[in-house]
Amino acid sequence: METNLVLEQPVYKMSTFEFLWKIFHNPLDALTDLANEQGDIARIKLRKRDLFLLSHPSFIEEVLVRQADNFVKGPSLQRARIILGEGLLTSEGDEHLAQRRTLQPAFHRHKMEEYLPLMNENALAHIANWQNGERVDMSEGMMRLTLNIALWSFFGGAPKGAVEQVSVSMKTLVRLFPLAQMPLPESARSLFPSFKEAKTSLNEVTEALLHNPQNEHAKRALVHILKENHQDQFTDEQIHAHALTFLLAGHETTALLLAWCWDMLAHNPMAQSILQAEVDSVLGDRLPTPEDIQKLPYTRAVVNETLRMRPPAWAMGREALRDCEIGGQFIPAGSTVVMSQWVTHHDARFYYEPLHFRPERWFDLDGASTPRYSFFPFGGGSRVCIGEHFAMTEVVAVLAVMAQRWQISPAQRGLAKPNPSITLRPHKNIKVIVTRRAYGERVS
Ligand code: HEM
């Protein structure tokens, strides 16, 4: 694949201040403009270090796979330690590898057989309250649904009040996310009481989840692996950090993906009809089994196309430990390297009509024109998302269960505008109108 590379290009004409201003106001456009102006490796001189935006799949692969040993997580994820502590998302090196090996069995494909019934049951319970013709807030609803699923799957149950407490704290943290990103001393952050309160509240829920009496579900859940490895491998703080990581990472991105899927389907009625027809013919009035999840290719294509156009993780950063070279470009030690799912997933070299929702493209893509890392919604290499199969199973199952029973129409004109915060959220909550399907009356 040819790259669009200008070697030893002049440093970006924009001043650092201008770039930061643009990034602050509209990061998606700022990164897209940078890639359009400079090509597959763009370079910005910041005060102390260089920042490189790598947009070509082969350069992304260099960082995530081939030269992964030379990169650690970028400054923003390092600062996530303020909230998450030293969990799987934030740890590095041998420590990370050992933790990952221990936790991996909870995410093995065969574990999906245990998780899927919980996903189905929670999806059914969630839609049981919908009224025909009602206006439903999908952003809020999917957040609660995926949080319930995460609580049941990873902790064996959803204690009273936990969903409310986590939802409220998450909203505060997302609102104050820019504060968490600033390189401030911990004492300065305490000046914002709501930040401190949200952190305390999440810590309380996590402790409550860890000390919940172990029910039958919990004996097979992730919480059990954590407790089993107490002392041997994990300290109290690490167990807490892992539990909090799975509580937050395990529901937020998936909820956003589901809400974005419904936004796309509501505004693309033809795609919704094809998806309904597939679900009706494969499942009839049954709930999906793990085998069914693989037999819903159009539903999966809808999920992939939504991940392409609205990637919940819209950019990832790494820091170079030593001097290195990527695509002929010298990258000095200490540089920050950014790879943006938003930029690469919208590249017309890999996706025709990149601004349009075309689930069918996933049937035509061939490896030659769409290299592996032209699509990396879950990252890649040894730090690839541990919850990828869990999330894909959950999203396909929830879409199928809901589409069997309800028709979703838009309650707003046009697609929701993306807002790149810690994750890619809609500017305003996604609202839809739900109508009971004639077919759905038979399967409810
Ligand atoms: C649509 C849903 C999801 C998306 C788009 C997503 C995206 C990502 C991405 C891009 C990364 C890599 C970050 C980096 O390398 O800098 C990641 C890592 C991670 N994700 Fe997810 N994720 C999703 C769902 C989940 C779920 C359901 C869980 C929990 C069960 C989870 C837990 C994690 C953890 C613990 C890591 C760190 C893995 C490691 O470094 O070893 N994610 N995720």
Side-chain angles (χ1 to χ4, degrees):
M1 168 62 49
E2 250 179 53
T3 60
N4 173 13
L5 182 63
V6 192
L7 284 182
E8 291 305 327
Q9 68 275 54
V11 175
Y12 200 37
K13 294 178 282 299
M14 222 193 270
S15 70
T16 303
F17 177 75
E18 241 180 302
F19 175 73
L20 291 178
W21 177 258
K22 239 179 139 184
I23 272 278
F24 186 73
H25 283 281
N26 193 338
L28 300 179
D29 282 358
L31 292 177
T32 306
D33 291 350
L34 192 57
N36 286 342
E37 282 186 35
Q38 284 201 25
D40 288 324
I41 298 186
R43 179 171 160 217
I44 276 277
K45 195 132 196 91
L46 296 179
R47 200 158 52 92
K48 286 195 190 137
R49 54 183 68 179
D50 286 341
L51 180 148
F52 293 90
L53 171 66
L54 306 186
S55 307
H56 194 275
S58 57
F59 303 155
I60 294 167
E61 190 168 1
E62 284 290 324
V63 175
L64 296 181
V65 185
R66 294 187 209 286
Q67 302 191 40
D69 290 356
N70 192 32
F71 291 93
V72 289
K73 295 253 170 139
S76 75
L77 256 174
Q78 286 174 21
R79 275 185 222 119
R81 288 200 183 106
I82 296 161
I83 297 164
L84 296 175
E86 193 82 14
L88 194 61
L89 200 61
T90 47
S91 59
E92 293 288 354
D94 291 346
E95 174 83 31
H96 166 260
L97 206 66
Q99 292 179 355
R100 177 107 189 190
R101 271 201 201 111
T102 309
L103 297 169
Q104 194 71 52
F107 295 94
H108 198 270
R109 272 177 198 273
H110 73 75
K111 283 290 279 184
M112 299 307 138
E113 284 167 25
E114 284 171 30
Y115 297 135
L116 188 57
L118 298 172
M119 294 166 179
N120 290 339
E121 278 164 35
N122 275 287
L124 280 180
H126 185 81
I127 55 179
N129 299 322
W130 286 356
Q131 302 295 320
N132 207 14
E134 190 187 348
R135 191 183 156 98
V136 168
D137 184 332
M138 277 292 187
S139 300
E140 191 77 33
M142 294 303 103
M143 225 29 107
R144 282 167 185 273
L145 171 58
T146 57
L147 182 49
N148 264 305
I149 293 174
L151 287 169
W152 278 100
S153 307
F154 306 141
F155 300 96
K160 206 161 174 270
V163 169
E164 198 54 44
Q165 213 174 331
V166 175
S167 305
V168 172
S169 309
M170 272 302 278
K171 277 186 200 147
T172 309
L173 289 182
V174 169
R175 189 165 44 83
L176 296 178
F177 170 65
L179 175 72
Q181 286 298 293
M182 287 177 203
L184 298 171
E186 187 58 20
S187 54
R189 257 177 272 277
S190 323
L191 296 174
F192 295 82
S194 45
F195 184 82
K196 210 172 154 202
E197 274 163 32
K199 243 181 84 176
T200 311
S201 171
L202 283 175
N203 287 338
E204 276 170 18
V205 183
T206 309
E207 280 306 302
L209 288 169
L210 286 171
H211 294 109
N212 238 1
Q214 292 250 310
N215 61 22
E216 277 313 304
H217 276 300
K219 287 190 186 143
R220 295 195 305 272
L222 180 91
V223 68
H224 185 67
I225 301 189
L226 289 175
K227 289 183 176 179
E228 255 187 338
N229 288 281
H230 186 215
Q231 316 245 309
D232 275 5
Q233 193 181 347
F234 299 138
T235 62
D236 284 343
E237 289 87 68
Q238 282 173 325
I239 291 186
H240 182 96
H242 286 308
L244 183 56
T245 299
F246 285 108
L247 183 62
L248 301 188
H251 86 279
E252 209 256 355
T253 37
T254 319
L256 290 172
L257 174 57
L258 271 165
W260 285 121
C261 282
W262 284 119
D263 194 36
M264 294 292 172
L265 289 168
H267 288 94
N268 290 277
M270 179 62 89
Q272 190 174 166
S273 316
I274 301 174
L275 185 145
Q276 284 169 347
E278 176 177 271
V279 166
D280 292 351
S281 90
V282 174
L283 299 180
D285 57 5
R286 290 186 296 108
L287 289 170
T289 63
E291 295 72 49
D292 293 325
I293 299 294
Q294 308 306 322
K295 286 191 214 139
L296 295 165
Y298 191 79
T299 311
R300 297 182 80 87
V302 163
V303 179
N304 280 339
E305 185 65 349
T306 309
L307 278 168
R308 184 186 71 77
M309 292 183 73
R310 298 287 184 265
W314 55 278
M316 288 161 42
R318 293 287 191 269
E319 205 176 297
L321 293 172
R322 300 174 293 280
D323 291 352
C324 65
E325 201 184 284
I326 292 182
Q329 171 71 52
F330 174 66
I331 311 253
S335 302
T336 298
V337 166
V338 174
M339 298 148 289
S340 165
Q341 285 89 345
W342 177 267
V343 172
T344 304
H345 290 186
H346 282 93
D347 192 324
R349 285 173 295 172
F350 314 122
Y351 302 101
Y352 63 87
E353 299 185 315
L355 298 178
H356 294 276
F357 183 69
R358 303 267 184 265
E360 55 285 356
R361 78 170 79 242
W362 294 91
F363 299 106
D364 311 334
L365 291 181
D366 69 282
S369 55
T370 43
R372 165 71 186 85
Y373 281 91
S374 56
F375 186 62
F376 61 113
F378 294 99
S382 62
R383 306 297 308 233
V384 70
C385 175
I386 198 168
E388 176 174 355
H389 296 307
F390 183 93
M392 285 302 283
T393 306
E394 179 176 5
V395 174
V396 171
V398 171
L399 287 181
V401 169
M402 286 168 64
Q404 267 176 319
R405 293 158 177 82
W406 295 88
Q407 172 82 31
I408 310 296
S409 325
Q412 291 145 326
R413 273 184 45 190
L415 292 170
K417 196 170 166 251
N419 172 26
S421 176
I422 186 164
T423 41
L424 195 69
R425 310 180 132 247
H427 251 287
K428 291 191 183 140
N429 281 8
I430 292 169
K431 307 236 170 90
V432 298
I433 311 281
V434 296
T435 316
R436 194 180 283 280
R437 289 183 61 207
Y439 182 79
E441 275 169 24
R442 296 204 302 274
V443 296
S444 290

